[in-house]
Amino acid sequence: MNAELVPSKENWRQLQARRAALPATERAALARHWALVAQLEHASVAAFSRFSLQLLAVGAPPSLLEDAHRAALDEIRHAELCFSLATVYAGKAIGPAPLPVSDHALGVWDLAGVAVGTVEEGCIGETIAALEAQRAAELAEDAAVRVALQRIHEDETRHAELAWRFVHWAVLTGDRTLRPLLEAAFERALERHVVNAPLEVIAEARLEAHGVLSSKTKRALRAKIASEVLRPSFAKLLRER
């Protein structure tokens, strides 16, 4: 669940993207894109806070706890950067309303449940996010957008590594019933993120100069990530038990 968008009175960082040189329709598309990304980054602060509690609940080592808390701080910075870009392109201040939180959002607390969720959201979701940000940064021509994407790429790469480390620890710690659950979760998440991903309808390749991957680029990249990164990494993880 994401927070709604509201006029922001907070001092979000104001990046100097090249808004004025763009047609109004493209500015609006970019504003919508960065607002959506900002909402997701904002919600990720809560996701890593929840993950920290889950790590405590399953007795994870302190190095994982430390990195989970650091990741939550990273996501605050990402939200600031992305709300700032949304504000620049929209020409008006945009920020988040209070985040809706329910008992359901707190998730599960057993080792198998936490590991399954981490495969889906962390190993796959964060890996894809990191590599998409890297590709978007390579294509971006606007300096402010490129800086934001490079920061997101670096941080999301560490977040993905944290997820893989935790799942590896879970495999070593759990019993033999865990492996088939993780295998099923991995295939289910690939289906959702790669095969049936509900991508933004961004067809204009020219917006890639402002950090927005087109739907065509994103689909091709996700297929490549699945075959060249995710499947080999997951197979290696299961072999290391």
Side-chain angles (χ1 to χ4, degrees):
M1 180 70 72
N2 299 332
E4 294 183 2
L5 298 173
V6 295
S8 175
K9 297 180 181 179
E10 299 297 325
N11 185 26
W12 297 101
R13 289 176 173 81
Q14 294 302 300
L15 303 177
Q16 299 302 312
R18 296 198 306 271
R19 180 181 69 88
L22 293 169
T25 55
E26 293 188 10
R27 291 202 306 271
L30 289 165
R32 287 193 300 271
H33 166 79
W34 285 110
L36 174 60
V37 175
Q39 287 174 293
L40 296 173
E41 299 288 2
H42 180 259
S44 292
V45 180
F48 275 110
S49 297
R50 180 192 63 195
F51 186 48
S52 297
L53 290 173
Q54 291 173 322
L55 291 177
L56 288 169
V58 299
S63 61
L64 296 177
L65 283 167
E66 181 179 357
D67 288 345
H69 282 283
R70 184 178 292 112
L73 295 175
D74 292 338
E75 298 295 359
I76 294 173
R77 169 63 170 161
H78 297 174
E80 288 179 321
L81 290 170
C82 295
F83 276 122
S84 179
L85 287 171
T87 292
V88 168
Y89 286 116
K92 60 183 179 181
I94 297 174
L99 181 72
V101 178
S102 64
D103 291 341
H104 175 72
L106 295 178
V108 297
W109 305 105
D110 62 290
L111 181 63
V114 176
V116 163
T118 304
V119 165
E120 296 176 345
E121 297 178 15
C123 296
I124 292 182
E126 294 284 350
T127 299
I128 289 174
L131 294 174
E132 286 185 345
Q134 180 184 43
R135 182 57 179 152
E138 292 170 350
L139 295 173
E141 297 176 4
D142 187 281
V145 173
R146 187 164 56 249
V147 167
L149 286 165
Q150 287 171 340
R151 172 63 185 268
I152 291 171
H153 161 64
E154 292 169 3
D155 292 345
E156 300 292 9
T157 297
R158 286 190 287 101
H159 301 173
E161 291 170 351
L162 168 61
W164 288 101
R165 283 164 48 212
F166 167 72
V167 174
H168 182 244
W169 175 84
V171 169
L172 296 177
T173 304
D175 58 33
R176 66 182 61 187
T177 64
L178 183 57
R179 179 187 292 262
L181 295 176
L182 297 180
E183 291 173 337
F186 180 81
E187 294 299 333
R188 185 167 59 245
L190 276 187
E191 183 79 12
R192 185 172 76 250
H193 285 279
V194 178
V195 179
N196 296 321
L199 304 179
E200 284 184 274
V201 183
I202 300 291
E204 301 90 340
R206 62 184 175 274
L207 295 187
E208 291 181 338
H210 293 267
V212 183
L213 296 180
S214 68
S215 300
K216 180 180 179 180
T217 298
K218 190 173 287 191
R219 288 193 184 281
L221 180 59
R222 289 193 179 190
K224 183 177 181 179
I225 293 169
S227 63
E228 297 183 7
V229 179
L230 294 173
R231 287 196 179 279
S233 297
F234 189 68
K236 180 182 178 182
L237 181 148
L238 294 182
R239 287 197 303 269
E240 291 178 349
R241 178 174 174 82

